[in-house]
Amino acid sequence: MSNKLWSGRFSKPTAKAVEEFTESVSVDARMVAEDIWGSEAHAIMLAAQGIIGEDDLRVILRGLERARELHEAGKLKLRQDREDVHMNVESYLIEEAGIEFGGKLHTGRSRNDQVATDARMRMRVEILDTQEALLHLQAALLELATGNEATLFPGFTHVQHAQPITLGFWATAHASVLARDFERLSGAYDRVNRCPLGAAALAGSSFPLDRKLTAKLLGFDSVLEHALDCVSSRDHTLETLSALAICASNLSKLAEELVLWSTSEFGLVTLDDAYASGSSIMPQKKNPDVPELVRGRTGRLYGALVQMLTVVKGTPLGYNRDLQEDRFQLWMAFDALRPSLHLMGDVIATARFDTDRAAELAGAEFACATELANWLVRQRGLSFRESHEIVGKLVGAVADAPDAFADAGRVAELMSQAGIEAAAAELVPLLDPARVVAGYRTTGSTAPREVRRMMRALARQAERSRADVESRRSREWSARQRTQTVVRGVLAGEGLGDLLA
Ligand code: ARG
């Protein structure tokens, strides 16, 4: 006969293949501590509400403490025939403390609200870890920008030379993208950090559960009220996966640039030997494997999001076993993105940017042509369309000599042929990428002083972000401590009323 906690109405043991097919211990392994913490909080609340006695509570908490010690020592083995972490912990308790006490723990609780609670608690940790890795990369980009506010760099559109920019401008662009990725994860955290415990199976409970108390003991910001919503919804998982996938997509674009720019053709960056790989046959090779894998691993993140969207789309309200599929991709997604963010930070921090080559490319291929057209508008009163046409013709005439714009005399000559008289000296600043870059006046432009201002703003924002992560961690930590204090107090024979006051 099966020893399962739900085996009452069954007359045959579960087929082995079914046990293997339906298990979730493999993904639950990541939330054992959360499951035990959740059980402690639930038991404390049951006793505080007079649903179980304080003596029962003591026995239950003693069993849970032992489970926790075993888990922390790596000795709490999750058995597949016990299906999931919830039944593993409860079965352990029953074995340890006896059916009477172990069984009382599940009063007013279902695995449906339990799993939703555990996963949310674990997601909090994973989101904060991801945000920390993100800030590491962002810090490396801001560090790279420091001192390079005015360092010339080629700016591209369509991967064709477009206009000169600065290295600091490029680095702060990625840093500013990451600031939004951070915000998205914070938003997801806000939605994740609401407590579904107390929803029970789907309809709430006829026991007078104090949902605020469990939410508080578990460090949640608030109670997620509607019981049916609590057990049915995984939109917080979709939102988190979506934030992760968008972040991966942004990261992949940065990776792509590093791959391109480390080619001899671009020659803009050299990756540190410690962050590059070689070839087994070609002795000369140095390959950008880290950015390539970051780019490639993006597929895992998109896959996770699409998988989860697909899992939930056909599930009616109420818990459906499909939902168990959530953690397989979710944990994988966190595991893929966090090291990608972290390593990219290391890659950026150790890479060498070739500033001579960058300066050379910054003005290449008529990159200053737009400024010449702007000058015709300002100094000669032409409409921009007219000036665009004139400069376009000029470029067309010397298209096979891309260095022609480096010579102001030659450009003056070409202008004169187009009916515009200009002294070479007047044109010099328009054709000099450094002066072009310095001449930008708009908010958010590549002008070095603007880059410097944006760097400062991003650094301040990063400070606040770091403080946010810290304060969320410490809120979790103090809730954990609060619960532990109550547990220890109860085990020492103190009254629950005093402990919770
Ligand atoms: N193991 C399940 C999951 O991972 C939670 C248990 C709910 N199962 C159930 N049969 N009601 O989602």
Side-chain angles (χ1 to χ4, degrees), residues 308-422:
M308 194 59 201
L309 283 163
T310 313
V311 163
V312 294
K313 83 172 180 63
T315 50
L317 282 177
Y319 177 83
N320 298 274
R321 195 60 183 269
D322 320 38
L323 298 181
Q324 177 175 305
E325 288 293 304
D326 60 357
R327 277 103 68 216
F328 287 85
Q329 300 296 316
L330 184 59
W331 304 152
M332 183 279 289
F334 282 119
D335 289 347
L337 187 59
R338 192 182 46 252
S340 287
L341 284 164
H342 209 276
L343 264 177
M344 282 294 272
D346 294 345
V347 167
I348 291 286
T350 55
R352 253 187 318 103
F353 284 80
D354 186 335
T355 50
D356 291 338
R357 173 72 176 155
E360 183 191 319
L361 292 182
E365 295 291 339
F366 311 102
C368 297
T370 310
E371 251 348 89
L372 201 55
N374 287 347
W375 180 82
L376 286 172
V377 171
R378 275 195 290 268
Q379 301 297 322
R380 295 293 188 266
L382 302 186
S383 80
F384 186 74
R385 275 293 148 244
E386 288 171 308
S387 71
H388 185 290
E389 171 81 9
I390 291 169
V391 176
K393 285 219 166 91
L394 236 83
V395 169
V398 291
D400 51 355
D403 288 341
F405 266 32
D407 176 357
R410 175 90 182 98
V411 176
E413 217 172 88
L414 289 164
M415 296 264 268
S416 157
Q417 283 161 19
I420 310 273
E421 294 310 324

Side-chain angles (χ1 to χ4, degrees), residues 24 28 83-84 86 111-112 115 319 321 323-324 327:
S24 66
D28 289 351
E83 210 176 304
D84 53 31
H86 326 297
R111 285 183 295 153
N112 300 349
V115 71
Y319 177 83
R321 195 60 183 269
L323 298 181
Q324 177 175 305
R327 277 103 68 216

Side-chain angles (χ1 to χ4, degrees), residues 4-256:
K4 289 189 167 46
L5 296 176
W6 42 249
S7 63
R9 63 104 72 210
F10 289 80
S11 55
K12 278 186 183 176
T14 315
K16 189 92 189 86
V18 171
E19 280 182 351
E20 275 167 24
F21 190 71
T22 57
E23 67 86 25
S24 66
V25 290
S26 47
V27 283
D28 289 351
R30 210 181 273 225
M31 37 191 226
V32 177
E34 285 76 10
D35 197 75
I36 295 171
W37 181 4
S39 291
E40 288 167 347
H42 184 68
I44 290 166
M45 181 277 294
L46 288 178
Q49 294 296 97
I51 300 166
I52 62 172
E54 288 201 26
D55 291 340
D56 292 347
L57 175 65
R58 194 166 308 115
V59 181
I60 289 171
L61 290 183
R62 194 171 300 129
L64 287 171
E65 274 300 279
R66 232 164 264 154
R68 206 160 59 79
E69 282 159 20
L70 274 185
H71 169 62
E72 281 166 9
K75 288 186 189 144
L76 187 74
K77 227 181 111 34
L78 296 186
R79 280 170 44 180
Q80 196 182 63
D81 63 340
R82 287 178 174 167
E83 210 176 304
D84 53 31
V85 65
H86 326 297
M87 295 215 294
N88 266 276
V89 170
E90 196 181 325
S91 300
Y92 171 80
L93 200 63
I94 285 168
E95 276 166 23
E96 181 75 13
I99 181 75
E100 195 194 339
F101 299 103
K104 282 183 181 175
L105 172 62
H106 211 53
T107 314
R109 186 177 77 166
S110 156
R111 285 183 295 153
N112 300 349
D113 60 342
Q114 240 188 311
V115 71
T117 306
D118 292 1
R120 283 171 183 266
M121 287 164 71
R122 186 65 214 180
M123 285 169 78
R124 297 191 301 211
V125 177
E126 302 283 342
I127 291 175
L128 296 181
D129 287 350
T130 306
Q131 286 186 308
E132 227 160 51
L134 183 156
L135 290 174
H136 170 71
L137 168 59
Q138 199 192 34
L141 287 160
L142 290 176
E143 181 61 32
L144 172 62
T146 308
N148 285 312
E149 298 88 346
T151 305
L152 287 175
F153 208 74
F156 302 97
T157 65
H158 311 260
V159 206
Q160 305 281 326
H161 286 266
Q163 291 176 344
I165 60 171
T166 73
L167 180 53
F169 185 62
W170 171 80
T172 47
H174 283 293
S176 108
V177 171
L178 283 168
R180 279 195 305 284
D181 287 330
F182 184 94
E183 284 173 25
R184 259 185 292 273
L185 285 166
S186 291
Y189 186 103
D190 290 339
R191 251 83 61 198
V192 165
N193 201 23
R194 298 175 189 180
C195 188
L197 195 63
L202 75 161
S205 174
S206 54
F207 290 103
L209 309 178
D210 181 351
R211 297 192 60 194
K212 273 204 183 127
L213 176 57
T214 38
K216 186 168 164 224
L217 289 170
L218 297 175
F220 283 101
D221 290 332
S222 60
V223 168
L224 185 65
E225 287 190 352
H226 200 291
L228 186 52
D229 178 21
C230 284
V231 294
S232 314
S233 301
R234 294 294 183 271
D235 51 279
H236 60 289
T237 309
L238 290 176
E239 185 180 355
T240 302
L241 282 170
S242 150
L244 295 177
I246 293 170
C247 179
S249 146
N250 289 329
L251 192 60
S252 184
K253 291 160 69 174
L254 168 60
E256 165 71 4

